[in-house]
Amino acid sequence: MEKLTRQEEEVMQQVWRLGTCTVKEVLAQMAEPRPPYTTVASVMQNLKRKLFVSQRQQGMTYVYEPAVDESDYKRGFMSGFVRDYFRGSFRDMVSFFAREEKLSSEDLKDIIQEIESHATEK
């Protein structure tokens, strides 16, 4: 799966949230200052080329839908992030964020509890 640019990810987040949408609907959901309509339309074409969205024509308007599941993208993105920045070690990643005080001891306890609950489900 091809990596998305920051701008493509921002647009794709709106597509995932909206489901079926037009460029105008995506643009309406974006934070101020909003990019020009033509920029969002170009990003949508890039997402279509990268096979992240499907496109169909409805009257004079193009309607877009996600072609990639959000959880699949997150899984691939995070795996690459951990591989590139933490030598493939999720443990090193969690340790880094704990050392940087981005995770509290309460957060770590919650993570351990979630891991243990998933382990017992399998």
Side-chain angles (χ1 to χ4, degrees):
M1 182 179 312
E2 195 169 343
K3 185 170 179 358
L4 298 179
T5 66
R6 192 172 70 76
Q7 193 172 41
E8 289 168 343
E9 280 187 3
E10 185 178 348
V11 170
M12 198 62 211
Q13 288 290 334
Q14 299 305 325
V15 174
W16 280 318
R17 198 169 66 68
L18 294 167
T20 302
C21 58
T22 64
V23 170
K24 188 175 179 179
E25 291 167 332
V26 168
L27 191 57
Q29 298 299 313
M30 297 179 83
E32 293 287 349
R34 291 185 179 100
Y37 178 94
T38 53
T39 299
V40 177
S42 289
V43 170
M44 289 294 253
Q45 287 305 307
N46 289 342
L47 291 169
K48 178 184 166 204
R49 181 182 52 76
K50 291 180 176 184
L51 305 176
F52 275 82
V53 297
S54 60
Q55 171 190 324
R56 64 182 160 79
Q57 192 161 0
Q58 188 174 349
M60 298 291 290
T61 305
Y62 287 113
V63 178
Y64 299 89
E65 290 184 30
V68 171
D69 187 63
E70 183 177 10
S71 62
D72 290 341
Y73 180 73
K74 284 180 183 178
R75 190 176 306 108
F77 175 84
M78 287 307 298
S79 293
F81 175 77
V82 171
R83 181 189 64 243
D84 294 344
Y85 292 96
F86 297 99
R87 298 180 318 270
S89 170
F90 282 89
R91 178 183 180 162
D92 287 353
M93 180 189 72
V94 171
S95 294
F96 169 82
F97 286 112
R99 277 192 314 276
E100 295 294 315
E101 299 180 11
K102 305 293 184 197
L103 286 172
S104 67
S105 60
E106 198 60 39
D107 290 335
L108 290 171
K109 287 176 189 173
D110 291 345
I111 291 168
I112 291 167
Q113 185 177 9
E114 190 169 332
I115 291 168
E116 288 173 345
S117 73
H118 285 295
T120 59
E121 290 175 5
K122 292 181 178 182

